[in-house]
Amino acid sequence: MRILLVFTSFITLFGFFSCQSDDFSPETNKPIENSYEGVDSRLWTYWESFETEAAARGMNINLTSFDLIGIIVEIQEDHVAGSCTYGGNAPRTIRLDQSIWNDLSPLFREFIVFHELGHCILMRDHDESINQQGMCLSIMRSGLNGCRDNYNLNTRDLYLDELFGELP
């Protein structure tokens, strides 16, 4: 049985992130050391960053050891930025929406990629935790509960600590 976990991104959240200015750019931070078969090369820096951030938190994750596909394509469902499918004998597959991807900052691209890797690799479900100010407390939020994302350069480490720290 295939399990489909879909990460939805409402236009308001999309607008919030696409308008943010930031100096974050994993695409130019360093040369790419690894290649990832079956993964769009535009995702390689995010794959490496995921491995690096996991290692910084005591987790040894080598994405090349997984049967994992990562593609950027047009997703037909409205407001869906990405999805992860896994189960059975098929490879784990992350699909990211081309139109949304093109309009996002590198920081929010990381947010989406890490969210989907959270499903496909860390086996995390959606987490709808919210604080008193209405901010989402997890990168694994579904986008359906109305909380506001606060993923930025100042809060990035907190979100990543939560992502890699609360495993099933």
Side-chain angles (χ1 to χ4, degrees):
M1 179 176 165
R2 295 188 67 94
I3 299 171
L4 174 64
L5 296 172
V6 178
F7 165 62
T8 58
S9 174
F10 291 103
I11 295 300
T12 55
L13 295 176
F14 170 74
F16 172 77
F17 279 106
S18 62
C19 295
Q20 276 191 326
S21 64
D22 60 59
D23 294 326
F24 180 81
S25 184
E27 295 154 341
T28 59
N29 279 352
K30 63 177 184 154
I32 297 171
E33 296 177 12
N34 295 317
S35 62
Y36 299 89
E37 188 175 335
V39 177
D40 187 304
S41 62
R42 293 172 287 178
L43 300 174
W44 291 0
T45 56
Y46 298 99
W47 256 233
E48 280 189 349
S49 182
F50 187 86
E51 292 170 338
T52 300
E53 294 298 336
R57 290 158 178 83
M59 296 181 69
N60 183 20
I61 296 175
N62 178 351
L63 294 175
T64 62
S65 68
F66 291 89
D67 189 11
L68 178 65
I69 295 172
I71 56 176
I72 300 174
V73 296
E74 290 297 329
I75 295 176
Q76 298 306 311
E77 298 94 336
D78 289 338
H79 312 298
V80 175
S83 68
C84 162
T85 57
Y86 58 90
N89 294 327
R92 300 169 196 202
T93 302
I94 291 177
R95 294 181 317 136
L96 301 166
D97 183 74
Q98 177 73 56
S99 298
I100 293 174
W101 181 267
N102 290 342
D103 291 334
L104 296 179
S105 71
L107 187 64
F108 194 51
R109 286 177 179 175
E110 176 186 81
F111 180 92
I112 293 170
V113 170
F114 281 24
H115 174 97
E116 297 308 336
L117 287 169
H119 287 311
C120 275
I121 302 303
L122 302 176
M123 307 312 287
R124 293 279 310 268
D125 290 326
H126 285 136
D127 181 341
E128 306 299 345
S129 300
I130 186 170
N131 71 13
Q132 293 178 350
Q133 291 76 36
M135 299 293 180
C136 305
L137 296 177
S138 176
I139 200 171
M140 295 308 299
R141 73 0 171 230
S142 69
L144 299 175
N145 73 344
C147 65
R148 293 184 319 275
D149 289 306
N150 192 29
Y151 193 75
N152 59 55
L153 293 177
N154 295 325
T155 61
R156 180 177 179 267
D157 283 341
L158 295 173
Y159 277 95
L160 297 184
D161 288 348
E162 187 277 334
L163 175 65
F164 293 108
E166 278 192 24
L167 300 177

